[in-house]
Amino acid sequence: MTAQIIIGDRVLGRDEALDRAARLASAMAEAGVAAGDAVALLLRNDFAVLEANLAVRRLDAYGVPINWHWHAEEIGYVLRDCAPRLLIGHADLLEKVRHVIPDGLTVIAVDGAADGWRDYNIWIAAHDPFAGNGNGLGSSMVYTSGTTGRPKAVKRLPATGAESAQRARVLSVIHDTAPGNVALVTGPLYHLFSQAILMATFHAGGTVVVMDRFNPEHCLALIEKHRVTHSALVPTLFVRLLRLPDAVKARHDLSTLRHVVHSGAPCPPEIKRAMLDWWGPVLHETYGSTETGVVTKIGPQEWLARPGSVGKPVLTGEVRILGEDRQWAGPGVIGDVYLRIHGTPDFTFHGDPAKRAAVEHDGLITCGDIGWLDEEGYLFLCDRRVDMVISGGVNIYPAEVEAALLEHPAIIDCAVFGVPDSEFGEALVAQIQSDEALQVEAVQYFLRERIAGYKIPRYIILTQALPREETGKIMKRRLKEAFLEGERANG
């Protein structure tokens, strides 16, 4: 198969994509985009995401992908904070946030234009391919989801040629890239997890099939139709796939799958085992962050021997655990996870160098997770430091309680978090999504057979849905705020 990008019925050949990206780079340069400048991208899954990323890298500039699900005020904050030279977006998305677009910002509209906005395709066609001397080492400035406050921007520092090459090698190892691969992108391209497999596969000369929006049965159909070999999914998509009727699962030929990466959120062991039973030994789990990039990886056989691990460092990666005494800890000791891929581009937090300094220790970076290493150097995660609950002086990791809850056959989804408690300091709250009329007492009894009594949530709330990012992360801040507001209202 000739390398190409496929979205629905639309196909873009590799050569055409490179030509359009080179013309877009010329258009950007004429509009004033130079090395170090930001270009904001408010785009759904579309060819324009690939073209824009290729173009900004030719100019040594920064692409700033924006989550178009955010409220207009959040998007406005990002546009003010990163001060982009250009804003490229789908016309309907731009229209919804027109009132927060800074005055004087040049706006390029995909799929239609409006007063004061340029048409994306016409703009590209009017320019010759870029012939400048850019080093091709541009990167990204990525704003986090803002689930714990204002979005923060992780900005890659200018890369050397060696650092850029090392980053490419890491992505190749993580996604097993090769010229003949056919990769399926299942998630939103404003997130680096999805963007990574797109860019890595494209650069390796493979074909990429992009879902404009995830649908579990359509996912299976695309794997069969395009003979997909590689993909990347977040665990919540596994859950949606597993809920399909057995007849639907059996209808599709998935035998071409060789390498499927999952990351972005913890995957309950029973969900992963069910996927391995169905798809075979093709699941590879990775761990890292926007700040560090992916650092560890674990294959299917390794995981079956060490269930719950997120793997060992790849290539020049390093992982260490910082104990409560602020010293590096040995195997089996729980502490803060610090990690890094040495030799890849460094980062800063845009406009906040103090925050950058606060997350570093001896050259390694923490993204707020708590975990431990076994004797062989495999990493196991307990929870996030901000989510850890201290009740009666004892550390409780909500992720452990959530994993126990998800063993219940009637529980679809759940979130466990801490709230202030006058007696114990903090108390646990569990919000549970189920299609059945569960009894709180029955859920607590179910947990008593699996975890210690002090870990059982004091408050259990049944709900029809939980707010999740498309990356799979539950927005616990919203749940906690709603719970506390309800408590205040009830006196």
Side-chain angles (χ1 to χ4, degrees):
M1 178 187 290
T2 303
Q4 52 193 3
I5 313 300
I6 302 169
I7 304 178
D9 296 329
R10 298 181 299 150
V11 178
L12 182 68
R14 175 181 173 79
D15 290 342
E16 184 181 0
L18 290 170
D19 179 72
R20 285 175 59 83
R23 293 176 186 276
L24 179 57
S26 288
M28 288 181 176
E30 185 180 271
V33 177
D37 285 341
V39 175
L41 308 174
L42 189 65
L43 295 165
R44 297 190 184 88
N45 286 12
D46 202 345
F47 299 133
V49 178
L50 172 65
E51 294 164 356
N53 274 285
L54 291 172
V56 296
R57 281 158 175 74
R58 289 285 297 273
L59 299 172
D60 297 334
Y62 287 90
V64 184
I66 301 176
N67 183 339
W68 51 270
H69 291 287
W70 285 351
H71 295 299
E73 289 71 21
E74 293 175 297
I75 293 172
Y77 167 78
V78 169
L79 294 176
R80 294 189 302 274
D81 188 64
C82 73
R85 285 282 185 176
L86 294 174
L87 167 60
I88 301 175
H90 281 103
D92 62 318
L93 299 179
L94 292 169
E95 195 61 55
K96 292 178 181 177
V97 299
R98 179 187 281 271
H99 61 289
V100 300
I101 297 175
D103 292 339
L105 177 59
T106 300
V107 178
I108 313 299
V110 179
D111 294 336
D115 292 341
W117 299 346
R118 298 183 185 180
D119 181 279
Y120 179 76
N121 287 314
I122 294 175
W123 195 49
I124 289 177
H127 291 80
D128 293 327
F130 182 68
N133 297 316
N135 295 314
L137 302 179
S139 189
S140 59
M141 183 158 65
V142 180
Y143 283 78
T144 60
S145 61
T147 55
T148 57
R150 282 282 199 188
K152 61 181 179 180
V154 177
K155 183 178 183 178
R156 293 284 154 214
L157 298 179
T160 65
E163 288 172 338
S164 186
Q166 179 66 355
R167 176 174 57 188
R169 282 192 288 269
V170 171
L171 285 175
S172 181
V173 169
I174 294 303
H175 292 290
D176 186 40
T177 53
N181 290 1
V182 181
L184 177 65
V185 176
T186 60
L189 287 171
Y190 56 68
H191 194 273
L192 287 188
F193 179 59
S194 297
Q195 200 177 111
I197 190 171
L198 166 72
M199 301 302 291
T201 304
F202 180 84
H203 284 306
T207 286
V208 186
V209 182
V210 181
M211 300 187 74
D212 55 0
R213 199 171 190 83
F214 185 80
N215 173 281
E217 187 170 357
H218 187 47
C219 174
L220 301 183
L222 288 174
I223 292 171
E224 180 176 22
K225 177 181 178 180
H226 297 289
R227 300 187 62 77
V228 169
T229 59
H230 292 65
S231 191
L233 297 92
V234 295
T236 52
L237 303 187
F238 289 161
V239 174
R240 293 178 62 184
L241 286 161
L242 288 167
R243 285 195 203 128
L244 289 170
D246 289 340
V248 173
K249 295 178 190 175
R251 188 182 301 154
H252 299 282
D253 178 7
L254 311 180
S255 61
T256 57
L257 282 175
R258 300 201 310 268
H259 191 277
V260 177
V261 172
H262 73 91
S263 191
C267 184
E270 68 278 6
I271 297 298
K272 185 161 181 174
R273 288 193 180 94
M275 287 298 298
L276 286 168
D277 289 343
W278 178 16
W279 284 13
V282 300
L283 301 187
H284 296 258
E285 186 167 358
T286 64
Y287 168 72
S289 69
T290 304
E291 294 87 340
T292 65
V294 174
V295 178
T296 73
K297 182 179 182 181
I298 187 167
Q301 302 302 336
E302 292 175 287
W303 186 88
L304 287 169
R306 305 165 188 82
S309 174
V310 294
K312 296 176 71 173
V314 300
L315 299 181
T316 53
E318 182 181 5
V319 178
R320 302 184 77 176
I321 304 300
L322 193 67
E324 296 296 336
D325 58 359
R326 303 300 294 171
Q327 301 296 316
W328 295 124
V333 178
I334 294 175
D336 293 292
V337 179
Y338 280 76
L339 66 166
R340 193 165 195 163
I341 291 280
H342 297 291
T344 57
D346 202 352
F347 77 97
T348 188
F349 290 113
H350 178 59
D352 196 349
K355 183 188 290 287
R356 168 64 174 79
V359 299
E360 183 172 352
H361 187 79
D362 285 354
L364 301 183
I365 303 298
T366 183
C367 48
D369 288 324
I370 300 170
W372 55 279
L373 297 168
D374 69 8
E375 295 285 350
E376 296 178 274
Y378 284 87
L379 176 63
F380 293 77
L381 299 178
C382 300
D383 215 328
R384 290 191 56 74
R385 172 65 68 181
V386 294
D387 288 340
M388 187 181 75
V389 175
I390 304 176
S391 183
V394 179
N395 293 348
I396 301 175
Y397 303 110
E400 179 188 2
V401 184
E402 289 165 353
L405 283 167
L406 288 171
E407 292 180 20
H408 195 295
I411 293 177
I412 298 171
D413 207 351
C414 66
V416 176
F417 53 92
V419 294
D421 182 83
S422 58
E423 182 178 0
F424 293 99
E426 287 186 286
L428 281 185
V429 179
Q431 287 206 204
I432 296 169
Q433 179 183 346
S434 176
D435 292 334
E436 300 182 18
L438 295 176
Q439 299 297 316
V440 169
E441 294 78 9
V443 173
Q444 291 174 326
Y445 179 80
F446 177 84
L447 288 176
R448 285 192 187 95
E449 297 180 325
R450 289 162 173 78
I451 57 178
Y454 69 88
K455 299 177 183 178
I456 296 172
R458 177 177 299 185
Y459 307 99
I460 294 181
I461 302 167
L462 304 180
T463 185
Q464 293 183 334
L466 291 170
R468 277 190 183 266
E469 295 287 338
E470 288 197 29
T471 55
K473 295 179 181 178
I474 292 178
M475 293 180 279
K476 290 188 178 181
R477 179 172 63 91
R478 291 190 186 178
L479 296 177
K480 186 172 183 177
E481 288 173 353
F483 179 88
L484 295 175
E485 190 174 311
E487 289 289 290
R488 287 191 292 268
N490 294 327

